[in-house]
Amino acid sequence: MEVPRYALVQVEREIRFGWVAEHLGRRRRIVLEDGSERVEAAKRILYEWEGEPVESEGSPAGHRAAEDRAAGDRGSGAAQDQLREQARRAKQPPAGFDGIALHARLKPGQSLDFATLAALVLGEAARGWARAGLYYALLGASGLFRRSREGFAARSGVELKQQAERAAALRSHQDGLEQVGAWLQALEAGNWSPGTGPEAAEFLSQLESLVAFEGRSPHWKALVQPLELPAHDWEENRVKLKRWLEAAGAWKGWSAVWLLGSGVTEGFAPELEARARVLAGRP
């Protein structure tokens, strides 16, 4: 009886389990857990292995699963039920796997082939779905490990710091989006408070910049989505921005917008005013 083969593949940003229904030269036809099919290049498959069904091949369910696989079944029958059950188990952290402890055991930046890592964590005898579960767990612990040509590498201190900085930047960005949403809600409801702090004042200046410079504003990229401003309709955008600035008591009129857009600022630099006073006092 043919031993079934399985694979881990990435579908968009999700790691999915599937069984290899057909070899197509350098490609594989893979049936996923939900019964959908994909044709993947062999080099793009994350991990491929041989594995037995949850029930033994000699059991009635095992025979039905093997028959379904041989027939290229599309998600119905015992083969698909077996695959879903195997995938469910493999998604649980394998016994003996502690990502932090494993990272501490490895040299920073050290890359090990997956077979060595599997023997280190699971023991030499582990094969099939046990190893697949470990591979899945290592992919999930991307903050500590990264895939390498050999298998996986323990991230170095520099990488860990960069990861932390990126995570902090993402949290800050999310917090900023939430704050913009709160300000926008206040403007729409007419509940803007003048004493909302320097961050709010900066937000109003960014709205002014959008009115004056439109898509050329340095704040366009950050604010276009949270403010829901369509790039193709600036007449509508100007109406919205003007209404919000009026609600905040910060609308200075179209003449101020035109001056800002032309690069003309109000007043002069202090050193220019001082020089002018000196010149004005001469005969």
Short mmCIF file of all heavy atoms in Angstrom, two decimals, residues 131-181:
data_model
loop_
_atom_site.label_atom_id
_atom_site.label_comp_id
_atom_site.label_asym_id
_atom_site.label_seq_id
_atom_site.Cartn_x
_atom_site.Cartn_y
_atom_site.Cartn_z
N ARG A 131 7.31 15.34 13.35
CA ARG A 131 8.24 16.35 12.84
C ARG A 131 7.49 17.51 12.17
O ARG A 131 7.89 18.67 12.28
CB ARG A 131 9.21 15.73 11.85
CG ARG A 131 10.29 14.87 12.51
CD ARG A 131 11.39 14.57 11.52
NE ARG A 131 12.50 13.86 12.14
CZ ARG A 131 13.66 13.63 11.54
NH1 ARG A 131 13.86 14.06 10.30
NH2 ARG A 131 14.62 12.99 12.17
N ALA A 132 6.40 17.19 11.48
CA ALA A 132 5.61 18.24 10.84
C ALA A 132 5.06 19.22 11.87
O ALA A 132 5.04 20.43 11.66
CB ALA A 132 4.47 17.62 10.04
N GLY A 133 4.62 18.68 13.03
CA GLY A 133 4.14 19.56 14.09
C GLY A 133 5.23 20.46 14.63
O GLY A 133 4.98 21.64 14.94
N LEU A 134 6.46 19.94 14.72
CA LEU A 134 7.58 20.77 15.17
C LEU A 134 7.89 21.85 14.15
O LEU A 134 8.15 23.00 14.52
CB LEU A 134 8.81 19.89 15.41
CG LEU A 134 10.10 20.65 15.77
CD1 LEU A 134 9.92 21.44 17.07
CD2 LEU A 134 11.28 19.69 15.88
N TYR A 135 7.87 21.48 12.87
CA TYR A 135 8.14 22.47 11.82
C TYR A 135 7.11 23.60 11.90
O TYR A 135 7.44 24.78 11.82
CB TYR A 135 8.09 21.80 10.45
CG TYR A 135 8.85 22.54 9.38
CD1 TYR A 135 10.12 22.12 9.00
CD2 TYR A 135 8.32 23.66 8.75
CE1 TYR A 135 10.84 22.79 8.02
CE2 TYR A 135 9.02 24.34 7.78
CZ TYR A 135 10.28 23.90 7.41
OH TYR A 135 10.99 24.58 6.45
N TYR A 136 5.85 23.22 12.08
CA TYR A 136 4.77 24.21 12.20
C TYR A 136 5.00 25.11 13.42
O TYR A 136 4.81 26.34 13.36
CB TYR A 136 3.44 23.48 12.32
CG TYR A 136 2.23 24.37 12.39
CD1 TYR A 136 1.64 24.87 11.24
CD2 TYR A 136 1.67 24.71 13.63
CE1 TYR A 136 0.52 25.68 11.31
CE2 TYR A 136 0.54 25.51 13.70
CZ TYR A 136 -0.02 25.99 12.54
OH TYR A 136 -1.13 26.81 12.61
N ALA A 137 5.44 24.54 14.54
CA ALA A 137 5.69 25.31 15.75
C ALA A 137 6.85 26.28 15.57
O ALA A 137 6.81 27.42 16.03
CB ALA A 137 5.98 24.37 16.92
N LEU A 138 7.90 25.85 14.86
CA LEU A 138 9.05 26.72 14.61
C LEU A 138 8.66 27.88 13.70
O LEU A 138 9.12 29.02 13.89
CB LEU A 138 10.20 25.92 14.00
CG LEU A 138 10.92 24.96 14.95
CD1 LEU A 138 11.83 24.02 14.18
CD2 LEU A 138 11.73 25.74 16.00
N LEU A 139 7.81 27.62 12.72
CA LEU A 139 7.33 28.71 11.87
C LEU A 139 6.52 29.71 12.70
O LEU A 139 6.61 30.92 12.48
CB LEU A 139 6.45 28.15 10.74
CG LEU A 139 7.16 27.36 9.64
CD1 LEU A 139 6.13 26.73 8.71
CD2 LEU A 139 8.11 28.24 8.86
N GLY A 140 5.76 29.20 13.66
CA GLY A 140 4.97 30.08 14.51
C GLY A 140 5.81 30.88 15.48
O GLY A 140 5.38 31.94 15.95
N ALA A 141 7.01 30.39 15.78
CA ALA A 141 7.91 31.10 16.71
C ALA A 141 8.89 31.95 15.92
O ALA A 141 10.10 31.96 16.19
CB ALA A 141 8.64 30.10 17.59
N SER A 142 8.38 32.69 14.94
CA SER A 142 9.25 33.47 14.06
C SER A 142 9.97 34.60 14.78
O SER A 142 10.94 35.15 14.28
CB SER A 142 8.44 34.04 12.89
OG SER A 142 7.39 34.87 13.37
N GLY A 143 9.49 34.96 15.97
CA GLY A 143 10.20 35.97 16.74
C GLY A 143 11.53 35.47 17.29
O GLY A 143 12.41 36.25 17.60
N LEU A 144 11.67 34.15 17.39
CA LEU A 144 12.90 33.55 17.93
C LEU A 144 13.72 32.83 16.86
O LEU A 144 14.95 32.73 16.99
CB LEU A 144 12.54 32.55 19.03
CG LEU A 144 11.86 33.11 20.27
CD1 LEU A 144 11.39 31.97 21.17
CD2 LEU A 144 12.81 34.02 21.03
N PHE A 145 13.05 32.33 15.82
CA PHE A 145 13.74 31.55 14.79
C PHE A 145 13.35 32.05 13.41
O PHE A 145 12.25 32.54 13.21
CB PHE A 145 13.38 30.05 14.91
CG PHE A 145 13.58 29.47 16.27
CD1 PHE A 145 12.53 29.39 17.17
CD2 PHE A 145 14.83 29.02 16.67
CE1 PHE A 145 12.71 28.86 18.44
CE2 PHE A 145 15.02 28.48 17.93
CZ PHE A 145 13.96 28.41 18.82
N ARG A 146 14.27 31.92 12.49
CA ARG A 146 13.97 32.23 11.09
C ARG A 146 14.38 31.04 10.23
O ARG A 146 15.32 30.32 10.55
CB ARG A 146 14.69 33.49 10.64
CG ARG A 146 16.19 33.46 10.80
CD ARG A 146 16.85 34.71 10.23
NE ARG A 146 18.22 34.84 10.66
CZ ARG A 146 19.24 34.17 10.13
NH1 ARG A 146 19.04 33.33 9.14
NH2 ARG A 146 20.48 34.35 10.60
N ARG A 147 13.65 30.87 9.15
CA ARG A 147 13.99 29.80 8.22
C ARG A 147 15.31 30.12 7.54
O ARG A 147 15.61 31.27 7.23
CB ARG A 147 12.90 29.63 7.16
CG ARG A 147 11.60 29.05 7.67
CD ARG A 147 10.63 28.86 6.53
NE ARG A 147 11.06 27.80 5.63
CZ ARG A 147 10.86 27.80 4.31
NH1 ARG A 147 10.27 28.81 3.74
NH2 ARG A 147 11.26 26.79 3.57
N SER A 148 16.10 29.10 7.31
CA SER A 148 17.36 29.25 6.60
C SER A 148 17.44 28.19 5.52
O SER A 148 16.56 27.33 5.40
CB SER A 148 18.54 29.08 7.57
OG SER A 148 18.58 27.76 8.08
N ARG A 149 18.47 28.23 4.72
CA ARG A 149 18.62 27.25 3.66
C ARG A 149 18.73 25.84 4.24
O ARG A 149 18.23 24.87 3.69
CB ARG A 149 19.86 27.58 2.82
CG ARG A 149 20.10 26.63 1.66
CD ARG A 149 21.24 27.11 0.78
NE ARG A 149 20.94 28.41 0.20
CZ ARG A 149 21.78 29.07 -0.59
NH1 ARG A 149 22.97 28.57 -0.87
NH2 ARG A 149 21.43 30.25 -1.10
N GLU A 150 19.39 25.72 5.39
CA GLU A 150 19.57 24.40 6.01
C GLU A 150 18.33 23.95 6.76
O GLU A 150 17.96 22.78 6.73
CB GLU A 150 20.76 24.43 6.98
CG GLU A 150 22.10 24.72 6.34
CD GLU A 150 22.32 26.20 6.07
OE1 GLU A 150 21.51 27.01 6.57
OE2 GLU A 150 23.28 26.54 5.35
N GLY A 151 17.68 24.88 7.45
CA GLY A 151 16.52 24.52 8.26
C GLY A 151 15.99 25.73 8.99
O GLY A 151 15.17 26.49 8.48
N PHE A 152 16.52 25.96 10.20
CA PHE A 152 16.15 27.12 10.99
C PHE A 152 17.38 27.68 11.68
O PHE A 152 18.32 26.94 11.98
CB PHE A 152 15.09 26.76 12.05
CG PHE A 152 13.72 26.54 11.48
CD1 PHE A 152 13.34 25.27 11.04
CD2 PHE A 152 12.82 27.58 11.37
CE1 PHE A 152 12.08 25.05 10.50
CE2 PHE A 152 11.56 27.38 10.84
CZ PHE A 152 11.19 26.11 10.41
N ALA A 153 17.34 28.99 11.94
CA ALA A 153 18.44 29.64 12.65
C ALA A 153 17.87 30.38 13.85
O ALA A 153 16.78 30.96 13.79
CB ALA A 153 19.18 30.63 11.74
N ALA A 154 18.63 30.35 14.96
CA ALA A 154 18.25 31.13 16.14
C ALA A 154 18.55 32.60 15.86
O ALA A 154 19.65 32.94 15.44
CB ALA A 154 19.03 30.65 17.35
N ARG A 155 17.60 33.45 16.05
CA ARG A 155 17.81 34.88 15.78
C ARG A 155 18.86 35.44 16.73
O ARG A 155 18.89 35.12 17.91
CB ARG A 155 16.51 35.66 15.92
CG ARG A 155 15.49 35.33 14.83
CD ARG A 155 14.36 36.33 14.82
NE ARG A 155 13.37 36.02 13.79
CZ ARG A 155 13.47 36.38 12.51
NH1 ARG A 155 14.50 37.08 12.10
NH2 ARG A 155 12.51 36.07 11.64
N SER A 156 19.71 36.32 16.19
CA SER A 156 20.76 36.94 16.98
C SER A 156 20.18 38.05 17.85
O SER A 156 19.01 38.45 17.69
CB SER A 156 21.83 37.53 16.06
OG SER A 156 21.27 38.59 15.29
N GLY A 157 21.01 38.59 18.75
CA GLY A 157 20.56 39.68 19.60
C GLY A 157 20.15 40.90 18.79
O GLY A 157 19.18 41.58 19.12
N VAL A 158 20.88 41.17 17.71
CA VAL A 158 20.53 42.30 16.84
C VAL A 158 19.16 42.08 16.21
O VAL A 158 18.33 42.99 16.17
CB VAL A 158 21.60 42.48 15.75
CG1 VAL A 158 21.17 43.54 14.73
CG2 VAL A 158 22.94 42.88 16.37
N GLU A 159 18.90 40.87 15.74
CA GLU A 159 17.61 40.56 15.13
C GLU A 159 16.48 40.68 16.15
O GLU A 159 15.40 41.20 15.83
CB GLU A 159 17.63 39.16 14.54
CG GLU A 159 18.47 39.00 13.29
CD GLU A 159 18.47 37.58 12.78
OE1 GLU A 159 19.11 36.72 13.42
OE2 GLU A 159 17.80 37.31 11.76
N LEU A 160 16.73 40.18 17.36
CA LEU A 160 15.70 40.27 18.39
C LEU A 160 15.37 41.73 18.72
O LEU A 160 14.20 42.09 18.91
CB LEU A 160 16.16 39.53 19.66
CG LEU A 160 16.30 38.01 19.54
CD1 LEU A 160 16.87 37.43 20.82
CD2 LEU A 160 14.96 37.36 19.20
N LYS A 161 16.41 42.57 18.74
CA LYS A 161 16.19 43.99 19.00
C LYS A 161 15.39 44.62 17.87
O LYS A 161 14.47 45.41 18.11
CB LYS A 161 17.54 44.70 19.17
CG LYS A 161 17.41 46.19 19.47
CD LYS A 161 18.77 46.85 19.62
CE LYS A 161 18.62 48.34 19.89
NZ LYS A 161 19.94 49.01 20.00
N GLN A 162 15.74 44.27 16.64
CA GLN A 162 15.00 44.80 15.50
C GLN A 162 13.55 44.35 15.52
O GLN A 162 12.65 45.13 15.20
CB GLN A 162 15.68 44.37 14.20
CG GLN A 162 17.04 45.01 13.96
CD GLN A 162 17.77 44.43 12.76
OE1 GLN A 162 17.45 43.32 12.30
NE2 GLN A 162 18.74 45.15 12.24
N GLN A 163 13.34 43.09 15.90
CA GLN A 163 11.97 42.59 16.02
C GLN A 163 11.18 43.40 17.05
O GLN A 163 10.03 43.77 16.82
CB GLN A 163 12.00 41.12 16.44
CG GLN A 163 12.49 40.16 15.38
CD GLN A 163 11.36 39.43 14.70
OE1 GLN A 163 10.22 39.46 15.15
NE2 GLN A 163 11.67 38.78 13.60
N ALA A 164 11.81 43.66 18.19
CA ALA A 164 11.13 44.42 19.24
C ALA A 164 10.83 45.84 18.77
O ALA A 164 9.75 46.38 19.06
CB ALA A 164 12.00 44.45 20.50
N GLU A 165 11.77 46.44 18.05
CA GLU A 165 11.56 47.81 17.56
C GLU A 165 10.42 47.85 16.53
O GLU A 165 9.60 48.77 16.55
CB GLU A 165 12.85 48.35 16.94
CG GLU A 165 13.94 48.64 17.97
CD GLU A 165 15.27 49.00 17.34
OE1 GLU A 165 15.40 48.81 16.10
OE2 GLU A 165 16.17 49.47 18.05
N ARG A 166 10.38 46.84 15.65
CA ARG A 166 9.30 46.79 14.66
C ARG A 166 7.95 46.58 15.34
O ARG A 166 6.95 47.19 14.95
CB ARG A 166 9.56 45.68 13.64
CG ARG A 166 10.60 46.03 12.59
CD ARG A 166 10.55 45.06 11.43
NE ARG A 166 11.03 43.75 11.81
CZ ARG A 166 12.29 43.35 11.70
NH1 ARG A 166 13.21 44.18 11.23
NH2 ARG A 166 12.66 42.13 12.05
N ALA A 167 7.94 45.73 16.36
CA ALA A 167 6.68 45.50 17.09
C ALA A 167 6.22 46.77 17.79
O ALA A 167 5.03 47.10 17.80
CB ALA A 167 6.87 44.37 18.10
N ALA A 168 7.18 47.50 18.38
CA ALA A 168 6.83 48.76 19.06
C ALA A 168 6.33 49.79 18.06
O ALA A 168 5.37 50.52 18.33
CB ALA A 168 8.06 49.30 19.81
N ALA A 169 6.97 49.85 16.88
CA ALA A 169 6.53 50.78 15.85
C ALA A 169 5.13 50.44 15.36
O ALA A 169 4.31 51.33 15.12
CB ALA A 169 7.52 50.78 14.68
N LEU A 170 4.86 49.13 15.24
CA LEU A 170 3.52 48.70 14.80
C LEU A 170 2.47 49.07 15.85
O LEU A 170 1.39 49.56 15.50
CB LEU A 170 3.52 47.20 14.55
CG LEU A 170 2.18 46.59 14.10
CD1 LEU A 170 1.74 47.23 12.80
CD2 LEU A 170 2.30 45.08 13.95
N ARG A 171 2.81 48.85 17.13
CA ARG A 171 1.86 49.22 18.19
C ARG A 171 1.62 50.73 18.17
O ARG A 171 0.49 51.18 18.34
CB ARG A 171 2.40 48.77 19.55
CG ARG A 171 2.31 47.27 19.79
CD ARG A 171 2.55 46.94 21.25
NE ARG A 171 3.86 47.36 21.70
CZ ARG A 171 4.95 46.61 21.64
NH1 ARG A 171 4.88 45.39 21.13
NH2 ARG A 171 6.12 47.06 22.09
N SER A 172 2.70 51.50 17.99
CA SER A 172 2.57 52.96 17.95
C SER A 172 1.70 53.38 16.77
O SER A 172 0.86 54.29 16.89
CB SER A 172 3.96 53.60 17.84
OG SER A 172 3.86 55.00 17.72
N HIS A 173 1.90 52.71 15.63
CA HIS A 173 1.09 53.03 14.45
C HIS A 173 -0.38 52.71 14.71
O HIS A 173 -1.26 53.52 14.37
CB HIS A 173 1.61 52.22 13.27
CG HIS A 173 0.81 52.40 12.01
ND1 HIS A 173 0.76 53.59 11.32
CD2 HIS A 173 0.01 51.53 11.32
CE1 HIS A 173 -0.03 53.46 10.27
NE2 HIS A 173 -0.49 52.22 10.25
N GLN A 174 -0.64 51.57 15.33
CA GLN A 174 -2.02 51.20 15.64
C GLN A 174 -2.65 52.18 16.61
O GLN A 174 -3.81 52.58 16.46
CB GLN A 174 -2.07 49.78 16.21
CG GLN A 174 -1.76 48.69 15.20
CD GLN A 174 -2.76 48.67 14.06
OE1 GLN A 174 -2.39 48.81 12.90
NE2 GLN A 174 -4.03 48.51 14.38
N ASP A 175 -1.87 52.58 17.63
CA ASP A 175 -2.37 53.56 18.59
C ASP A 175 -2.68 54.88 17.89
O ASP A 175 -3.68 55.54 18.20
CB ASP A 175 -1.34 53.79 19.70
CG ASP A 175 -1.17 52.58 20.61
OD1 ASP A 175 -2.06 51.70 20.58
OD2 ASP A 175 -0.16 52.51 21.33
N GLY A 176 -1.80 55.26 16.95
CA GLY A 176 -2.02 56.49 16.20
C GLY A 176 -3.29 56.44 15.37
O GLY A 176 -4.05 57.41 15.31
N LEU A 177 -3.54 55.29 14.74
CA LEU A 177 -4.76 55.14 13.96
C LEU A 177 -6.00 55.23 14.84
O LEU A 177 -7.00 55.85 14.46
CB LEU A 177 -4.74 53.80 13.22
CG LEU A 177 -3.72 53.64 12.10
CD1 LEU A 177 -3.83 52.26 11.47
CD2 LEU A 177 -3.90 54.71 11.03
N GLU A 178 -5.91 54.62 16.02
CA GLU A 178 -7.04 54.69 16.95
C GLU A 178 -7.28 56.13 17.40
O GLU A 178 -8.43 56.57 17.53
CB GLU A 178 -6.78 53.79 18.16
CG GLU A 178 -6.80 52.30 17.81
CD GLU A 178 -6.47 51.43 19.01
OE1 GLU A 178 -6.33 51.99 20.12
OE2 GLU A 178 -6.36 50.20 18.84
N GLN A 179 -6.19 56.89 17.64
CA GLN A 179 -6.34 58.27 18.07
C GLN A 179 -6.94 59.13 16.96
O GLN A 179 -7.81 59.97 17.21
CB GLN A 179 -4.98 58.83 18.49
CG GLN A 179 -5.02 60.27 18.99
CD GLN A 179 -5.88 60.43 20.23
OE1 GLN A 179 -5.47 60.11 21.32
NE2 GLN A 179 -7.11 60.92 20.05
N VAL A 180 -6.48 58.91 15.72
CA VAL A 180 -7.06 59.64 14.59
C VAL A 180 -8.55 59.34 14.49
O VAL A 180 -9.36 60.24 14.24
CB VAL A 180 -6.32 59.27 13.28
CG1 VAL A 180 -7.10 59.78 12.07
CG2 VAL A 180 -4.93 59.86 13.27
N GLY A 181 -8.91 58.08 14.67
CA GLY A 181 -10.33 57.71 14.63
C GLY A 181 -11.13 58.42 15.71
O GLY A 181 -12.26 58.87 15.45
#
